[in-house]
Amino acid sequence: MTSLMLSAATYACNKRKDEESPPSSSLTFDKERHVAFLEMMYHMLPYHYQSQEINHITLAYFVISGLDILGSLDRVDKDAVAAWVLSFQSNPGDKAELNSGQFYGFCGSRSSQFSSDNDGILIHNHSHLASTYCALSILKTVGHNLSSIDSKLISMSIRNLQQPDGSFLPIHIGAETDLRFIYCAAAICFMLEDWSGMDREKTKEYIFKCQSYDGGFGMIPGSESHGGGTYCAVASLSLMGFIEDDVLSKSAASSIIDIPLLLEWCLQRQAADGGFQGRANKPSDTCYAFWVGAVLRILGGSKLIDGTALRRFLLTCQSEYGGFSKFPNQLPDLYHSYYGYTALSLLEERGLNALSAELGITGFAALGI
């Protein structure tokens, strides 16, 4: 999934196969236990996350936004969080560097923030689209006024990452291009309220090419339909203004993508155990309750899923320690915990703040409330 999706998943994927956690004793959502889990992560990450230091700001996004969903943002020092996030923004040494083809957003960690020269300018700029999306999301969540950052610099330099086919590199030094980074770019432009750095028509055409014969979207044109790729495609089109709200209530003929086929593909992802799978013939996985569930929310099709069965599956993945695991009876990790909270928010779980399905943060944060 997005670098955002890959960032913390490594911990879950690399755990020993025989390492299991007893299931939660009840199919009741234990909010306070989850708050304690995230609060612990806020103060100190377990050693398992050492290999994810490069994605530190993404892990922080899971913690801070997770606490916001749980209605417990008062457990953190918002000003300290904002100051920490702002310390990762990259700036050019002089105006001449603005035309160097670099992207001036946010780095993902201290290890990707290379030492400064004698003038305090970073020697190497490793700003990343996913890290920038997470940074801006955190800042909006803690109520920081984005007008205090150099948003024009971000908007102007993001165009250096867009490719001729409409896709985006995540970093100016080069990497793969796919729907993950289109989503990050679209979310950044939306949050900054400045689309000058994106050719939306080119991006739209690239996204169209990613819709598969079965209705879902692959990460790149011609690839297998995937829950995460489908979310990135649909959420991006929505943020860019190409999909109307509650499009299912409108004429299907007026849509720019094949909505009926997309809807069928999404609904087929709910498995017999109530959970959602990311691809055909794969087991249910906590995170896809959000990735696919959010697509259905954007389209206006949430009521077509079996919400009771989905909630029951999610709660079998709830750990007695707080947090969620990828599959039932495993240890929790930040990535699946966050998307467990977002999925339950979409299901309108009591005590959780409502979610902006397109941005992946609470509606309060999205609106700057």
Side-chain angles (χ1 to χ4, degrees), residues 158-237:
I158 203 170
R159 71 181 60 167
N160 294 327
L161 302 178
Q162 188 162 24
Q163 303 302 292
D165 64 358
S167 65
F168 279 82
L169 288 169
I171 187 169
H172 76 273
I173 59 175
E176 70 270 34
T177 61
D178 57 50
L179 287 177
R180 297 173 298 172
F181 308 118
I182 281 181
Y183 170 74
C184 290
I188 290 166
C189 292
F190 184 89
M191 286 189 278
L192 295 178
E193 300 180 10
D194 185 348
W195 293 91
S196 61
M198 174 188 281
D199 185 330
R200 281 185 275 184
E201 287 298 323
K202 277 188 176 181
T203 300
K204 179 182 70 173
E205 292 304 317
Y206 182 88
I207 294 174
F208 289 170
K209 293 175 184 176
C210 293
Q211 188 166 28
S212 183
Y213 70 93
D214 57 6
F217 288 78
M219 287 294 184
I220 59 176
S223 62
E224 180 185 9
S225 295
H226 188 282
T230 301
Y231 171 80
C232 291
V234 174
S236 297
L237 289 171

Side-chain angles (χ1 to χ4, degrees), residues 232-309:
C232 291
V234 174
S236 297
L237 289 171
S238 179
L239 291 170
M240 290 189 291
F242 292 123
I243 291 183
E244 297 177 274
D245 292 336
D246 193 18
V247 69
L248 291 182
S249 66
K250 314 295 192 304
S251 169
S254 67
S255 178
I256 59 174
I257 56 176
D258 192 331
I259 295 295
L261 199 59
L262 170 61
L263 177 64
E264 181 180 0
W265 185 87
C266 289
L267 293 175
Q268 287 177 349
R269 300 284 68 76
Q270 187 164 25
D273 60 8
F276 275 87
Q277 57 185 195
R279 292 177 286 163
N281 301 314
K282 294 291 183 179
S284 297
D285 177 333
T286 296
C287 68
Y288 292 109
F290 169 76
W291 298 119
V292 181
V295 172
L296 290 167
R297 171 60 65 86
I298 294 168
L299 297 178
S302 293
K303 295 187 182 301
L304 299 175
I305 68 172
D306 187 337
T308 301

Side-chain angles (χ1 to χ4, degrees), residues 83-231:
W84 180 78
V85 170
L86 291 170
S87 72
F88 289 102
Q89 186 172 15
S90 297
N91 292 286
D94 53 52
K95 291 185 177 180
E97 288 189 21
L98 289 174
N99 299 317
S100 64
Q102 297 189 44
F103 168 57
Y104 293 99
F106 289 79
C107 298
S109 68
R110 292 288 176 241
S111 64
S112 61
Q113 232 179 356
F114 286 80
S115 301
S116 301
D117 62 17
N118 294 332
D119 297 321
I121 303 302
L122 293 178
I123 296 173
H124 298 291
N125 169 22
H126 280 186
S127 298
H128 196 285
L129 275 179
S131 300
T132 303
Y133 160 76
C134 290
L136 295 179
S137 295
I138 295 172
L139 291 173
K140 285 185 74 67
T141 297
V142 299
H144 185 79
N145 190 340
L146 295 187
S147 65
S148 67
I149 66 174
D150 194 344
S151 58
K152 197 65 181 177
L153 175 64
I154 298 174
S155 299
M156 287 174 57
S157 62
I158 203 170
R159 71 181 60 167
N160 294 327
L161 302 178
Q162 188 162 24
Q163 303 302 292
D165 64 358
S167 65
F168 279 82
L169 288 169
I171 187 169
H172 76 273
I173 59 175
E176 70 270 34
T177 61
D178 57 50
L179 287 177
R180 297 173 298 172
F181 308 118
I182 281 181
Y183 170 74
C184 290
I188 290 166
C189 292
F190 184 89
M191 286 189 278
L192 295 178
E193 300 180 10
D194 185 348
W195 293 91
S196 61
M198 174 188 281
D199 185 330
R200 281 185 275 184
E201 287 298 323
K202 277 188 176 181
T203 300
K204 179 182 70 173
E205 292 304 317
Y206 182 88
I207 294 174
F208 289 170
K209 293 175 184 176
C210 293
Q211 188 166 28
S212 183
Y213 70 93
D214 57 6
F217 288 78
M219 287 294 184
I220 59 176
S223 62
E224 180 185 9
S225 295
H226 188 282
T230 301
Y231 171 80

